[in-house]
Amino acid sequence: MTDPTGPDHSGSRRRFLQLTGAGVAASPWLAACATAAPSAIPARAMGMPWPDWGTLPEEVPPPPKPGSVGVAVVGLGGYAIGKALPALATAEGTHVAAVVSGNPEKAAKVAAAYGVPEDAVYSYETFAQIANDDRVEAVYIVLPTGLHAEWTELAFAAGKHVICEKPMALNAGECARMIAASEAANRKLMIAYRCHFEPYNLKATELMRAGAVGAIRSIETANNYSANRAHNPSNDWRLVKALAGGGPLEDYGLYGLQAALYLSGEVPVSVRGWTEQVPNDPRFTEVFSTVKAEITFPSGAVTKLVTSYNADNLNMVKVTGSDGILLMEPATYYDGNAMKLLKGGTEEVLMPGDSNLQFSRMVQHFAEAIRTGAAIKTPGEMGLRDIRLVEAIHRSAAMGEVVAV
Ligand code: NDP
């Protein structure tokens, strides 16, 4: 399963649950959520059931190497269990030192699987005590977006370095607070933009810098899936404005937006946005179902971005240049990415490496930056830049006109 938003939007387990109804029947919580308005989920840190994807290691990872950075993982949902914890356990320079969760049974199970001692299992209520836990040097925030700013600030207040999941936060003001907290604590802040460590996206960026398609004229990006509330707790908070902002653009369209920036190597001069909110669909009472944007760069190149919670799976980036085309589909999955260069009537398929390495390489970079003091490749300032663009797209859609950025 490869979809970068985390939950399995196309996998067999979800289809099984749909066919049998087992996902709803097995959990009163899920059954309640399937019928309740999305806003029934409070915008505060609280425990959730076991997510519908992600598995625990069969064996406890070996003890950390000397100098390894101990990381506390906050929020044990699909992405934490599926990707963040395994990355920390397999990277050379990191290990899972603590877990923080509102679900004690889940936390105990995860802790046991990763060899985390019982006294390094924290709840949201006891989190502040982590300040006195020298086994923990850094905190990885894997909570819903609306909780990123608050918990990043709490982690800095506890004197830890922070790696925070994307999107950085709900708005530029929150991002600025997070950066200020990092500076005040004199600790690193990294946004977990995994594609900056993923072989296909790195190769694509290198090719664009080398002029592989000539001068870039346009970039098309699509990041779509159909949000299904009834079967997957991970999709629920994604439909709540206080936890997810406008919805698909912040969560999934961000991959297309980021790709447009690192592939063009430019920062936009203006954006035009359009939003859709399907009427009478209980999924879209608070967030948009689809967001589209046209983003103009100083060179004149234009990005056409579409992202939707109300369309079949698509994860695509296409760069059209004066001399060729780069097509990536899927472009930013966990694995199974595909890329080809079309030029002068020929087609070159490129396979630059194993996409699965992106997760451990990302946390390894974080650890090295902590140890050496080197600059973070995806710092808070990058997260802030992106959220400003997201805000500009939403503003443009609301105003119905182009917005300069
Ligand atoms: P999940 O819903 O699967 O997990 C979120 C977890 O956060 C819950 O299990 C729960 O953990 C905790 N939590 C605390 N308060 C709440 C609340 N009010 N509502 C819901 N959950 C709460 O989400 P994901 O794992 O899919 O996403 C988490 C973060 O990771 C998001 O920022 C998302 O954008 C990011 N993400 C990044 C991906 C990537 O490719 N980089 C892919 C997928 C997600 P507990 O029960 O332990 O308290």
Side-chain angles (χ1 to χ4, degrees):
M1 134 56 229
T2 52
D3 192 293
T5 63
D8 185 351
H9 305 306
S10 57
S12 56
R13 174 166 159 76
R14 197 185 61 162
R15 278 196 210 100
F16 171 78
L17 292 173
Q18 279 168 338
L19 288 171
T20 61
V24 174
S27 158
W29 184 91
L30 277 181
C33 283
T35 49
S39 55
I41 305 170
R44 63 175 167 76
M46 55 185 284
M48 291 285 152
W50 195 270
D52 89 325
W53 72 286
T55 50
L56 295 176
E58 281 170 15
E59 286 176 23
V60 173
K65 297 212 168 95
S68 171
V69 173
V71 182
V73 175
V74 185
L76 304 178
Y79 192 72
I81 294 175
K83 295 295 173 190
L85 287 155
L88 293 168
T90 51
E92 278 284 302
T94 59
H95 62 278
V96 182
V99 293
V100 184
S101 170
N103 179 334
E105 294 83 33
K106 185 168 60 170
K109 208 168 152 184
V110 172
Y114 281 94
V116 171
E118 278 175 29
D119 66 351
V121 176
Y122 295 88
S123 68
Y124 299 120
E125 288 71 31
T126 62
F127 178 77
Q129 294 168 18
I130 218 163
N132 304 317
D133 192 336
D134 292 339
R135 297 166 295 187
V136 177
E137 278 186 79
V139 167
Y140 192 163
I141 309 286
V142 204
L143 294 166
T145 311
L147 303 173
H148 287 184
E150 177 189 351
W151 287 86
T152 294
E153 287 181 307
L154 289 169
F156 283 131
K160 310 300 178 185
H161 302 278
V162 175
I163 176 167
C164 177
E165 260 312 319
K166 49 54 60 179
M168 183 171 177
L170 290 180
N171 54 57
E174 287 188 346
C175 296
R177 266 171 42 201
M178 293 160 79
I179 293 169
S182 157
E183 285 166 359
N186 194 23
R187 294 287 181 271
K188 297 279 186 194
L189 171 58
M190 176 166 175
I191 307 306
Y193 279 140
R194 59 182 173 73
C195 293
H196 289 255
F197 304 88
E198 193 278 324
Y200 282 74
N201 284 274
L202 289 171
K203 182 67 184 175
T205 306
E206 187 189 310
L207 286 169
M208 294 306 97
R209 293 296 172 283
V213 299
I216 295 175
R217 305 288 191 230
S218 67
I219 302 177
E220 291 153 71
T221 71
N223 294 90
N224 304 336
Y225 75 94
S226 186
N228 187 329
R229 292 186 57 213
H231 310 285
N232 188 347
S234 302
N235 269 333
D236 264 313
W237 66 260
R238 287 179 164 80
L239 304 174
V240 177
K241 195 173 178 188
L243 288 167
L249 177 60
E250 288 86 335
D251 182 35
Y252 200 12
L254 191 61
Y255 290 94
L257 179 63
Q258 270 254 315
L261 301 187
Y262 55 72
L263 293 177
S264 68
E266 297 191 271
V267 178
V269 287
S270 66
V271 300
R272 174 71 171 93
W274 295 267
T275 51
E276 291 168 22
Q277 203 160 9
V278 183
N280 304 320
D281 184 329
R283 294 175 299 169
F284 304 119
T285 54
E286 298 199 13
V287 302
F288 298 112
S289 45
T290 300
V291 179
K292 295 173 191 159
E294 197 170 280
I295 301 164
T296 305
F297 293 102
S299 66
V302 172
T303 288
K304 287 182 190 298
L305 173 154
V306 60
T307 181
S308 183
Y309 277 170
N310 193 35
D312 206 354
N313 286 356
L314 183 60
N315 180 303
M316 187 274 300
V317 172
K318 182 179 175 185
V319 186
T320 302
S322 54
D323 308 330
I325 291 171
L326 181 81
L327 183 60
M328 304 171 75
E329 188 186 357
T332 59
Y333 272 10
Y334 298 154
D335 56 45
N337 289 323
M339 179 158 80
K340 59 187 176 185
L341 195 54
L342 310 165
K343 238 176 147 175
T346 63
E347 183 179 302
E348 185 188 355
V349 174
L350 299 152
M351 288 186 283
D354 180 2
S355 295
N356 275 303
L357 294 171
Q358 60 188 309
F359 310 98
S360 55
R361 282 184 178 168
M362 179 179 72
V363 296
Q364 181 66 27
H365 170 76
F366 179 54
E368 282 166 8
I370 290 171
R371 284 286 169 265
T372 65
I376 297 267
K377 204 176 161 190
T378 56
E381 287 75 11
M382 181 182 278
L384 169 62
R385 174 201 70 184
D386 297 345
I387 293 303
R388 281 194 175 128
L389 289 170
V390 165
E391 287 183 324
I393 291 169
H394 285 310
R395 204 161 57 244
S396 161
M399 289 163 42
E401 57 188 54
V402 173
V403 165
V405 289

